[in-house]
Amino acid sequence: MNVLLDNFALFRHGFIGTVVLTAVSAVLSLVLGTLVAACRVSPVPPLRIFGTVWVTLLRNTPLTLLFMIAVFVAPQILFPGISYFTLAVSALGCYTSAFVCEALRSGVNSVPLGQAEAARSLGMTFSQTLRLIVLPQATRTVIPPIGSLMIALTKNSAIAGSFNVAELFAQQKRLSEIGYNILEIFVWIALAYLVITFAISALFRLLEHRLAVAR
Amino acid sequence: MSDSPVSPAPARSERTVPPSGDPLVVLDRVNKHFGALHVLQDIDLTVARGEVVVVIGPSGSGKSTLCRTINRLETIDSGSITIDGRPLPAEGRELARLRADVGMVFQSFNLFAHKTVLENVTLGQTKVRKITREKAEQTARTLLDRVGVGGQADKYPAQLSGGQQQRVAIARALAMDPKLMLFDEPTSALDPEMINEVLEVMRQLARDGMTMVVVTHEMGFARSAANRVVFMADGRIVEEAAPDQFFSNPRSDRAKDFLSKILHH
């Protein structure tokens, strides 16, 4: 008997779950990461402190612990009745945003200071300088590390399976309970993850070529 | 010092618009430290509207820092700087508005690497001055023609020579219709054969009556285009004089020493 073909619906359900979970968390982490990076390089001290605290707290906490806080603590005090999917996206997105922020910050630092000085000399505000001049030039430098972060995010999303979210890795438990060979299950699941991560690699390689800036 | 000039008397100033004497930039007892280094020491300097002031001096004398304090790219520790009667505001929108009126040209050009030449010259107009794209492009093309790089409008900065890049940088600053132009060693990063094309644009600007503060090592430019030469050494203004007087008959020993090193070799 073939695990994949016999349980294709289950695999597909898990696969789509992982793709959606990864995609939504990725968008959240990129948006949050950019905002927090803007805070960290801003001239306003309270914003810089906020950025540093955000990165320090989220980057240094195990993801499983963040999931536990998101799933068991957050609904109790803050958002009762919120779905497991939303909680998982918050945990994954916030966690990854700390790393995205640091990748973006290294990209910002790679843009020569003179670019920002020229923009400010023209009368651009801090946010215009960052948005129009610095971040577009930082993007190319940060594409490779952010690609790696998105791949790590895909694999980290497996933790959500333990917290009642339907995704790829969680299907493993159900299938082995039915009695399939565990090795065979793992091979198919690993291949499914490879499909997603290879697609992400290809996307980021394409972006890297598109965003080349001549200097 | 003997009455005979060190070198032949320079040609009369080419400027056709005389400075009005109405002060545009006033620095009053400005001090700045970089750590233990006292880079600017009690600097007093007034630049009149329409005046071209050339700042010269040995490396590390604080002349670039002086230039950069005028649009607050460098902050000062004490003293005051006023532009057109208004003191320099703290970082924020107010300062951004003031910077839009002060053009700055850098040693390393600093053209936006991800934008075309034309976009470099329109960006400030559309995003800061809120001028429409069509009008901004029209102004940009006129200015690019004026500095002699009209044919390069659609290229990226990296595709241009240093001299062309610096002329685009001048056009970018002029596009904001500034009251004052600051030049921080505009020709120091250029190959010798490209220096003149940039200096010629600056001379033309001076003839048109632009108020300019120019930090440079180009003594020929100082002689021909300046109304006043300011000589700096060790963070102080050592001597201020008309170019003819400064080059032919410097008063301070420090200036004599500096000029003997650069003019006799």
Side-chain angles (χ1 to χ4, degrees):
Chain A
M1 61 183 181
N2 187 314
V3 194
L4 183 68
L5 293 180
D6 293 353
N7 302 284
F8 193 73
L10 206 60
F11 268 102
R12 192 181 55 198
H13 185 56
F15 183 81
I16 291 170
T18 292
V19 169
V20 172
L21 183 61
T22 304
V24 179
S25 310
V27 170
L28 180 67
S29 73
L30 290 172
V31 171
L32 279 179
T34 309
L35 291 177
V36 177
C39 288
R40 286 208 79 174
V41 299
S42 95
V44 186
L47 290 180
R48 278 210 301 274
I49 293 169
F50 164 77
T52 311
V53 169
W54 179 273
V55 168
T56 309
L57 278 182
L58 288 163
R59 196 169 56 164
N60 297 312
T61 310
L63 181 56
T64 314
L65 192 64
L66 275 183
F67 261 100
M68 286 176 155
I69 295 167
V71 172
F72 300 125
V73 183
Q76 302 262 316
I77 26 180
L78 293 170
F79 318 101
I82 202 165
S83 78
Y84 283 117
F85 178 80
T86 314
L87 291 170
V89 164
S90 320
L92 275 171
C94 291
Y95 177 77
T96 311
S97 76
F99 296 89
V100 169
C101 163
E102 291 300 272
L104 277 174
R105 203 160 62 91
S106 77
V108 166
N109 290 337
S110 77
V111 177
L113 188 61
Q115 295 283 309
E117 284 186 348
R120 287 158 64 205
S121 298
L122 284 180
M124 288 191 195
T125 60
F126 170 77
S127 73
Q128 282 178 320
T129 302
L130 199 60
R131 205 157 34 81
L132 301 169
I133 306 301
V134 178
L135 281 180
Q137 293 187 67
T139 310
R140 177 156 198 246
T141 325
V142 303
I143 289 292
I146 288 190
S148 300
L149 289 175
M150 293 304 115
I151 289 172
L153 168 65
T154 311
K155 298 182 292 181
N156 284 340
S157 72
I159 296 179
S162 314
F163 294 90
N164 267 341
V165 178
E167 55 75 59
L168 199 50
F169 191 70
Q171 311 303 359
Q172 152 276 132
K173 217 186 302 173
R174 299 178 61 180
L175 288 167
S176 63
E177 274 162 12
I178 303 172
Y180 288 103
N181 179 349
I182 195 96
L183 182 68
E184 226 178 307
I185 301 168
F186 279 169
V187 167
W188 286 117
I189 286 180
L191 280 175
Y193 273 109
L194 274 183
V195 169
I196 303 174
T197 52
F198 272 37
I200 295 176
S201 301
L203 173 70
F204 277 82
R205 237 191 331 266
L206 186 75
L207 284 175
E208 201 181 332
H209 287 296
R210 283 283 173 82
L211 295 169
V213 174
R215 216 168 258 298
Chain B
M1 197 64 195
S2 78
D3 289 334
S4 63
V6 176
S7 54
R12 279 177 56 82
S13 171
E14 296 169 21
R15 296 175 51 80
T16 50
V17 181
S20 60
D22 156 29
L24 183 61
V25 183
V26 180
L27 283 80
D28 184 29
R29 292 183 67 80
V30 168
N31 280 279
K32 180 176 178 66
H33 298 77
F34 280 133
L37 185 68
H38 198 170
V39 277
L40 295 180
Q41 304 182 23
D42 286 330
I43 300 289
D44 289 312
L45 179 69
T46 303
V47 181
R49 206 178 295 276
E51 192 179 22
V52 176
V53 172
V54 171
V55 184
I56 62 175
S59 295
S61 58
K63 53 194 194 305
S64 273
T65 308
L66 173 70
C67 184
R68 290 163 55 89
T69 57
I70 297 175
N71 71 350
R72 211 174 181 276
L73 283 179
E74 299 285 353
T75 55
I76 57 175
D77 298 338
S78 67
S80 74
I81 300 177
T82 52
I83 293 183
D84 215 358
R86 287 169 45 213
L88 273 188
E91 200 70 45
R93 283 180 188 280
E94 193 72 8
L95 180 64
R97 254 196 296 280
L98 183 133
R99 279 183 179 141
D101 290 335
V102 179
M104 176 98 187
V105 176
F106 300 87
Q107 181 177 346
S108 49
F109 328 134
N110 295 343
L111 291 177
F112 304 133
H114 63 309
K115 300 277 183 193
T116 64
V117 164
L118 188 68
E119 288 167 342
N120 264 279
V121 185
T122 53
L123 200 65
Q125 301 182 69
T126 53
K127 300 294 177 182
V128 177
R129 296 278 194 229
K130 314 289 182 198
I131 290 168
T132 63
R133 198 182 164 76
E134 297 76 52
K135 236 184 137 213
E137 283 193 7
Q138 205 181 332
T139 309
R141 289 194 190 276
T142 311
L143 284 168
L144 288 172
D145 284 337
R146 195 165 126 195
V147 300
V149 288
Q152 319 288 334
D154 297 320
K155 292 191 180 165
Y156 283 88
Q159 295 170 285
L160 270 55
S161 73
Q164 290 172 326
Q165 288 193 49
Q166 193 61 297
R167 285 181 284 152
V168 173
I170 294 173
R172 174 175 69 178
L174 289 176
M176 303 301 288
D177 193 17
K179 294 175 186 166
L180 163 73
M181 288 279 284
L182 306 173
F183 294 83
D184 183 9
E185 301 201 24
T187 56
S188 299
L190 294 175
D191 290 342
E193 72 236 67
M194 293 170 181
I195 290 176
N196 265 328
E197 62 192 46
V198 172
L199 290 181
E200 197 37 60
V201 168
M202 290 166 61
R203 276 197 194 94
Q204 185 57 49
L205 208 54
R207 279 195 290 267
D208 294 344
M210 176 61 76
T211 311
M212 294 162 66
V213 175
V214 184
V215 175
T216 188
H217 293 293
E218 294 300 324
M219 299 305 144
F221 177 80
R223 270 174 199 275
S224 64
N227 295 110
R228 185 153 47 111
V229 172
V230 170
F231 175 72
M232 277 186 82
D234 306 321
R236 291 179 184 281
I237 293 180
V238 177
E239 192 165 339
E240 278 184 76
D244 307 9
Q245 192 195 335
F246 178 79
F247 286 108
S248 56
N249 195 9
R251 277 167 288 148
S252 62
D253 291 339
R254 193 71 186 80
K256 282 175 195 164
D257 179 50
F258 177 75
L259 288 174
S260 74
K261 278 178 185 151
I262 58 162
L263 296 178
H264 300 285
H265 59 84

